[in-house]
């Protein structure tokens, strides 16, 4: 249970002259559920992008599952990326296809090219795909067109895609930003269950109460710097005040 | 490792079920069988017409290739590197280009006047409340008339007008202004209806008379949209004016037809180059105007979605480019008037009045051609087969060329060094030029070339129309592909999916939908444009129409016009239905 899923050492990322994230030291172990807190523009999305490899750090180093992500051969990097599942802010669903295709998108990497291509033409709704959809309450929507679902339903499709990918690390960027409180608790519950046992969760949030209910650890970002890193029990209100205070 | 799905399923929160989500009424559930059926139906809708059209185009036993004509194609190609460039001929070319531009400008101006008036009558905004019944009756009549007017191709209009006015420059202007005006009225009417009406209400409530109130409240918000539409129309008008050359009303198109029929290939190449340059310049100008005003892309206009964009606001009020274009329009029109030699006297002359009276008299009652109803039916079927095949050719061209014609996104682009990047850039440029050439050379010219090597019939017509439509469709589709979001593909790549698989999985569905939508939309237009290749001798209703007009058999012409109208309305309805069905 003590293996490092993520290790950042002095990691940061700049875009031209502006620094989105800088000097972050962070180690996350298997099974942890980490809430990332911070105002808009604090660098939360940038942090997640460093973790799933869609951005390379411009300073320091990022290690995933014990391997540095920079300069890996493509095959090895793909192997690592397969173990990371992301629900991004935009959901990144393929709008024009049936829901089933979007769920299967979670295992295209696992399937390998020929089977993946075949599934695009003829997707068999097997046990695992149906199970994932039922788990998020969308058992009825297997053959719906994705773009015809409501915002909340589309979000649950993205979670079903995550379930079927079976990642060791789940990254969720503001998964509940646009949901009412009941729905928000539901979605975090699903993400929590998706990461049961050895799975690890990193989720960016704006509501401290949800962090307290669903996470084991909280980190705070402010203007691209890590300002606190604490077990969830110690998440005190003065820490939060500092996070959202105006500069 | 734990199967997360299993875990999630087993201790699934009973409250998280579909009932909690407030969904779904059983009626909207889609089953796997329905999806399979839809796919089957889709395949049939593509394959059945295609095999039928192919069978019709390739008659058994008959010769298709005209062996005598093949060397002519060789001669034509051989002259590609030695176009005629002497001063005397260049003067002719420049003169013809000016004439073409002048006709196009005057035709567009006429279309805008018709469009503005028609749009006001068609839209609800100009009326304080529900308009009184005489207005509504007139409106219904007008709507029908506009549909009928725009269902007749500008080249057919030109043919009809020539038989009344003779070879008067006015023919070119009216042939553009009438069908374009009908289309414009529709677009402007929708645009006005999409505008927020609060300002207008306020003015009317304050007692302002109708006309100034409408001018003050509608023109500022609708102005940029209308201006960019005007230039888009001008762009189309330039192409159409070149087409009109086939009936002999002057400009580049007529020079092209003359050079083609006298087989002066070196002149053909010079003229083709002039046509391409002219359309490229006008395209670039009006394209720049559209992006500057961020109003609508060409593809939005063409798909008829732009009216909806009017109410959304958030547009820039007009760049310097747009302002200068608008300011240049008025003196430009005056110059065009004198350059084209148009005069209105032709409209009121004794001869015109007599001929018009005779034409109108002769049109009713309609009569069948010599070959009877069978000849009309055959022509209708030829027209449809030609349109189907042309679309198939256009889609093939699009599939081959358009992927390269999509602009490379800044910042992303393919990985790899400068060499890869410049290669990608060069292939983009080549693809855009290919599409530009295909759509700038008028379909009449493609048809004349096809008719050199093939016997008249469906096949040369379909080829000519297909090549031209390929250029139009390819550009529309490439532009629409530029707006396909890269995010889903990137998300797949991020989970370790190989790039090619990710492209097929995430980019192809979105791209395919755009392609299908535009193909169906272009099919409507293609049906109408079969008249063009028919008139130069390919096949279909256009050919029959031209033959009968030549012999002044106006009652037969009337029958053929009605048949064209029916075919065009039917294909429009079918294409609309299919487009709607696709979105379900
Ligand atoms: N691709 C990018 N290019 C330029 N600046 C960026 C980019 N992505 C993020 N930034 C900047 O980095 C900062 C942090 O952004 P982000 O990580 O998205 O914050 P958060 O998710 O906490 O709202 C912001 O100031 C943002 O403008
Ligand atoms: Mg963010």
């Amino acid at each position: 249970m003590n293996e490092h899923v993520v290790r950042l050492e002095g990691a940061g990322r700049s875009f031209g002259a502006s620094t989105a994230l800088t000097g972050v030291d962070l180690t996350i172990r298997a099974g942890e559920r980490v809430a990332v807190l911070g105002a808009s523009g604090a660098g939360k999305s940038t942090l997640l992008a460093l973790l799933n490899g869609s951005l390379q750090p411009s300073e320091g180093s990022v290690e995933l599952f014990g391997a540095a992500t920079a300069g890996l051969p493509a095959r090895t990097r793909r192997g690592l990326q397969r173990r990371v599942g992301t629900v991004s802010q935009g959901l990144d669903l393929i709008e024009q296809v049936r829901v089933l295709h979007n769920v299967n998108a979670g295992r295209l990497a696992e399937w390998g090219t020929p089977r993946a291509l075949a599934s695009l033409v003829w997707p068999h709704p097997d046990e695992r795909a149906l199970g994932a959809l039922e788990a998020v309450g969308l058992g009825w929507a297997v053959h719906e067109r994705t773009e015809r679902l409501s915002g909340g339903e589309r979000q649950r499709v993205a979670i079903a895609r995550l379930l079927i990918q079976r990642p060791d690390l789940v990254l969720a960027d503001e998964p509940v930003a646009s949901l009412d409180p009941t729905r928000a608790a539901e979605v975090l519950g699903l993400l929590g269950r998706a990461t049961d046992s050895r799975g690890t969760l990193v989720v960016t949030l704006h509501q401290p109460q949800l962090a307290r209910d669903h996470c084991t650890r909280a980190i705070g970002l402010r203007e691209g710097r890590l300002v606190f890193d604490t077990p969830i029990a110690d998440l005190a209100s003065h820490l939060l005040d500092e996070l959202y205070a105006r500069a | 490792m734990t199967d997360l799905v299993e875990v999630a399923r087993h201790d699934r929160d009973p409250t998280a079920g579909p009932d909690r989500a407030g969904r779904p009424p059983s009626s909207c559930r889609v089953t796997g069988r329905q999806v399979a059926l839809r796919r089957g139906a889709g395949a049939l809708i593509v394959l059945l017409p295609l095999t039928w059209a192919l069978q019709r185009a390739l008659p058994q036993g008959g010769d298709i290739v005209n062996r005598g004509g093949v060397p002519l194609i060789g001669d034509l190609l051989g002259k590609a590197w030695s176009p005629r460039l002497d001063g005397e001929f260049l003067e002719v070319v420049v003169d013809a280009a000016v004439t073409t531009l002048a006709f196009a400008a005057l035709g567009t101006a006429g279309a805008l006047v018709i469009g503005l008036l028609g749009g006001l009558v068609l839209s609800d905004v100009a009326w304080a409340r529900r308009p009184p019944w005489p207005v509504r009756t007139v409106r219904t009549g007008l709507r029908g008339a506009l549909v009928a007017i725009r269902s007749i191709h500008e080249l057919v209009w030109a043919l009809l007008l020539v038989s009344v006015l003779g070879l008067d420059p006015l023919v070119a202007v009216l042939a553009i202004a009438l069908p374009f005006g009908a289309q414009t009225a529709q677009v402007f009417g929708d645009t006005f209806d999409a505008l927020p009406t609060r300002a207008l209400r306020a003015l009317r409530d304050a007692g302002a008379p109708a006309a100034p109130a409408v001018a003050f409240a509608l023109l500022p918000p609708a102005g940029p949209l209308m201006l960019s539409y005007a230039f888009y129309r001008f762009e189309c008008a330039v192409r159409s004016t070149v087409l009109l050359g086939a009936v002999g009303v002057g400009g580049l198109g007529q020079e092209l037809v003359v050079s083609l029929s006298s087989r002066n290939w070196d002149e053909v190449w010079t003229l083709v180059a002039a046509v391409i340059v002219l359309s490229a310049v006008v395209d670039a100008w009006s394209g720049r105007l559209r992006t500057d005003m961020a109003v609508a892309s060409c593809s939005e206009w063409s798909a008829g979605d732009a009216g909806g964009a009017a109410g959304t606001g958030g547009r820039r009020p007009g760049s310097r480019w747009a302002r200068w274009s608008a300011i240049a329009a008025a003196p430009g029109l005056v110059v065009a008037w004198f350059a084209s030699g148009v005069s209105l006297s032709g409209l009121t002359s004794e001869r015109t009045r007599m001929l018009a009276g005779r034409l109108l008299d002769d049109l009713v009652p309609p009569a069948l051609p010599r070959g009877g109803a069978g000849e009309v039916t055959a022509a209708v079927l030829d027209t449809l087969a030609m349109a189907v095949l042309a679309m198939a050719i256009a889609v093939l061209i699009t599939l081959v060329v358009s992927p390269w014609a999509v602009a490379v996104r800044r910042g992303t682009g393919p990985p790899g060094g400068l060499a890869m990047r410049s290669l990608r850039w060069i292939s983009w440029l080549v693809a855009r030029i290919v599409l530009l050439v295909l759509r700038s050379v008028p379909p009449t010219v493609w048809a004349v070339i096809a008719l050199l090597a093939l016997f008249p019939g469906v096949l040369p017509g379909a080829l000519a129309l297909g090549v031209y439509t390929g250029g139009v469709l390819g550009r529309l589709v490439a532009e629409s592909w530029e707006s396909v979001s890269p995010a889903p593909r990137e998300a797949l790549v991020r989970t370790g999916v190989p790039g090619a698989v990710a492209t097929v999985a995430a980019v192809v569905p979105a791209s395919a939908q755009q392609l299908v939508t535009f193909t169906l939309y272009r099919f409507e237009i293609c049906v109408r444009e079969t008249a063009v290749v028919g008139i130069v001798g390919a096949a279909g209703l256009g050919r029959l129409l031209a033959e009968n007009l030549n012999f002044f058999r106006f009652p037969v012409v009337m029958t053929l016009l009605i048949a064209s109208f029916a075919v065009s309305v039917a294909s429009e309805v079918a294409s609309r239905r299919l487009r709607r069905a696709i979105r379900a």
Side-chain angles (χ1 to χ4, degrees):
Chain A
M1 284 297 272
N2 264 345
E3 124 195 20
H4 296 158
V5 174
V6 170
R7 170 176 273 163
L8 270 63
E9 276 172 2
R13 172 72 202 208
S14 309
F15 298 99
S18 85
T19 305
L21 202 66
T22 180
V24 174
D25 293 306
L26 179 68
T27 303
I28 299 176
R29 290 167 204 284
E32 282 193 294
R33 297 182 194 176
V34 183
V36 182
L37 302 171
S40 291
K44 305 183 295 295
S45 300
T46 306
L47 176 64
L48 294 200
L50 288 183
L51 293 183
N52 69 19
S54 49
L55 281 181
Q56 291 300 314
S58 54
E59 59 178 79
S61 69
V62 176
E63 274 181 27
L64 268 182
F65 308 108
T69 55
L72 281 183
R75 180 174 285 272
T76 326
R77 196 187 59 233
R78 285 219 296 268
L80 282 184
Q81 285 180 327
R82 245 167 77 176
R83 299 172 63 186
V84 182
T86 307
V87 182
S88 67
Q89 261 171 301
L91 298 183
D92 300 340
L93 295 176
I94 308 157
E95 300 290 344
Q96 298 80 8
V97 297
R98 310 278 151 187
V99 166
L100 181 59
H101 284 277
N102 270 305
V103 176
N104 278 338
R107 45 184 176 171
L108 289 183
E110 174 190 324
W111 273 345
T113 304
R115 178 145 185 223
L117 289 178
S119 85
L120 298 176
V121 183
W122 196 244
H124 279 290
D126 61 3
E127 271 296 299
R128 217 169 119 201
L130 293 179
L133 273 171
E134 248 155 50
V136 297
L138 286 178
W140 56 271
V142 188
H143 298 290
E144 285 299 325
R145 256 171 98 92
T146 308
E147 64 190 350
R148 289 170 62 111
L149 298 185
S150 74
E153 286 162 350
R154 295 168 69 258
Q155 186 156 37
R156 286 185 284 154
V157 173
I159 294 177
R161 180 181 60 186
L162 199 66
L163 290 176
I164 213 171
Q165 190 191 342
R166 294 189 285 201
D168 296 321
L169 169 63
V170 170
L171 307 173
D173 199 0
E174 308 199 6
V176 299
S178 57
L179 299 182
D180 64 57
T182 331
R183 262 326 129 62
E186 244 172 59
V187 165
L188 281 175
L190 280 171
L191 284 174
R193 257 175 268 127
T195 52
D196 257 355
S197 70
R198 286 169 16 115
T200 310
L201 172 68
V202 179
V203 53
T204 69
L205 286 172
H206 283 297
Q207 303 96 321
Q209 191 51 49
L210 285 173
R212 289 197 182 93
D213 291 346
H214 295 275
C215 297
T216 59
R217 178 180 171 189
I219 64 174
L221 287 177
R222 180 173 173 181
E223 286 163 22
R225 291 175 184 282
L226 192 64
V227 290
F228 66 74
D229 179 354
T230 158
I232 202 74
D234 300 339
L235 182 61
S237 60
H238 73 269
L239 289 178
L240 294 170
D241 291 345
E242 189 189 345
L243 218 51
Y244 291 104
R246 302 214 173 263
Chain B
M1 177 169 165
T2 330
D3 188 338
L4 295 173
V5 173
E6 284 308 306
V7 172
R9 186 144 65 131
H10 278 293
D11 39 87
R12 171 181 155 203
D13 185 348
T15 59
D19 31 338
R20 275 292 306 278
R23 265 281 195 127
S26 54
S27 63
C28 77
R29 289 187 199 189
V30 181
T31 63
R33 239 188 88 184
Q34 280 170 317
V35 174
L37 279 177
R38 276 174 58 99
R39 282 198 193 174
L44 284 185
I45 286 175
V46 174
L47 289 179
L48 284 184
L50 206 55
T51 33
W52 168 77
L54 264 177
Q55 240 166 5
R56 205 174 167 82
L58 307 171
Q60 266 91 42
D63 257 347
I64 302 167
V65 177
N66 177 358
R67 286 186 209 290
V70 175
L72 291 177
I73 299 262
D75 290 350
L76 172 65
L77 291 177
K79 279 287 178 1
W81 308 117
S82 50
R84 184 173 166 194
L85 292 173
D86 57 289
E88 189 191 346
F89 186 65
L90 285 185
E91 213 168 291
V92 172
V93 173
V94 170
D95 245 17
V98 170
T99 309
T100 296
L101 276 178
F103 285 165
L106 293 175
T108 309
L112 289 175
V113 171
I114 298 176
L116 205 56
L117 296 177
L120 279 176
V121 177
L122 286 184
S123 88
D124 279 325
V125 284
W127 308 96
R129 54 198 80 75
R130 195 173 143 81
W133 70 263
V135 174
R136 276 183 279 134
T137 319
V138 167
R139 203 194 264 186
T140 315
L142 184 67
R143 226 181 270 275
L146 289 178
V147 172
I149 290 176
R150 77 184 156 83
S151 84
I152 297 177
H153 194 276
E154 37 297 3
L155 194 49
V156 178
W157 272 115
L159 279 177
L160 288 172
L161 290 166
V162 163
S163 52
V164 175
L165 295 170
L167 286 179
D168 189 304
L170 205 53
V171 167
V173 175
L174 286 179
I176 299 284
L178 288 173
F180 280 29
Q183 180 82 47
T184 307
Q186 205 118 36
V187 170
F188 281 4
D190 292 347
T191 304
F192 292 149
D193 276 336
L195 289 175
T197 54
R198 218 174 316 133
L200 182 63
R201 293 270 163 277
L203 278 176
R204 293 302 298 272
D205 290 347
V214 167
F216 274 100
L218 291 189
L219 292 187
L225 202 69
M226 287 163 54
L227 186 66
S228 77
Y229 186 70
F231 277 90
Y232 167 63
R233 271 291 148 198
F234 178 58
E235 192 185 322
C236 305
V238 170
R239 280 185 221 298
S240 293
T241 311
V242 174
L243 264 187
L244 296 188
V247 299
V249 288
L252 282 174
Q254 190 187 349
E255 299 300 333
L256 252 176
V257 170
V258 169
S259 298
L260 271 171
S261 50
S262 48
R263 302 196 174 157
N264 291 330
W265 307 133
D266 51 345
E267 295 178 2
V268 170
W269 285 105
T270 314
L271 288 162
V272 163
V275 169
I276 291 171
V277 169
L278 196 65
S279 355
V281 170
V282 176
D283 266 24
W285 181 7
S286 106
R288 165 89 193 262
L289 206 76
R290 280 196 298 276
T291 42
D292 266 20
M293 302 205 290
V295 183
S297 69
C298 191
S299 49
E300 278 171 301
W301 277 129
S302 318
D305 298 341
T312 53
R315 260 173 279 114
R316 268 173 289 163
S319 64
R320 186 185 301 169
W321 187 266
R323 224 170 305 142
W324 280 113
S325 301
I327 291 171
L333 283 177
V334 175
V335 173
W337 184 271
F338 290 108
S340 65
V342 169
S343 100
L344 293 179
S345 62
L347 270 185
T348 50
S349 78
E350 195 54 40
R351 184 172 155 275
T352 303
R353 229 175 300 161
M354 192 192 75
L355 283 174
R358 228 178 64 195
L359 175 72
L360 291 179
D361 260 0
D362 281 358
L363 282 175
V364 279
L368 287 174
R370 293 247 172 88
E375 197 174 1
V376 180
T377 317
V380 167
L381 292 181
D382 278 352
T383 290
L384 287 174
M386 220 149 52
V388 168
L389 282 186
M391 277 328 290
I393 293 167
V395 167
L396 274 183
I397 291 175
T398 302
L399 285 176
V400 173
V401 183
S402 289
W404 305 102
V406 173
V408 189
R409 277 198 184 83
R410 223 162 279 171
T412 59
L418 191 66
M420 272 297 288
R421 260 166 201 281
S422 28
L423 211 62
R424 178 71 184 83
W425 193 82
I426 290 170
S427 59
W428 171 82
L429 192 67
V430 170
R432 295 301 287 220
I433 290 176
V434 166
L435 293 177
L436 176 74
V437 169
L438 294 186
R439 67 175 187 270
S440 299
V441 176
T444 41
V445 171
W446 289 121
V448 171
I449 295 173
L451 284 167
L452 289 178
L454 301 172
F455 286 116
V458 170
L459 195 62
L463 266 177
L465 204 53
V467 165
Y468 164 77
T469 308
V472 180
L473 185 70
R475 180 235 194 148
L476 284 177
V477 168
E479 269 184 12
S480 78
W481 282 352
E482 279 163 14
S483 65
V484 169
S485 161
R489 179 182 180 275
E490 279 160 18
L492 282 181
V493 169
R494 215 159 47 216
T495 61
V497 178
V501 177
T503 303
V504 177
V507 181
V508 166
S511 313
Q513 179 169 336
Q514 308 268 30
L515 175 63
V516 171
T517 307
F518 281 118
T519 300
L520 284 173
Y521 159 71
R522 260 333 280 199
F523 176 72
E524 287 171 28
I525 298 176
C526 200
V527 168
R528 208 154 34 96
E529 280 177 341
T530 52
V532 174
V533 291
I535 284 167
V536 294
L541 284 167
R543 183 173 173 192
L544 209 49
L545 199 65
E547 282 171 9
N548 282 288
L549 264 170
N550 271 343
F551 295 104
F552 303 101
R553 296 193 198 112
F554 290 118
V556 179
V557 167
M558 189 66 183
T559 309
L560 296 173
L561 285 180
I562 293 172
S564 311
F565 177 70
V567 170
S568 123
V569 168
S571 61
E572 210 173 306
V573 169
S575 142
R576 289 247 160 106
R577 287 222 162 164
L578 280 175
R579 274 190 280 165
R580 204 162 324 133
I582 282 167
R583 305 216 169 262

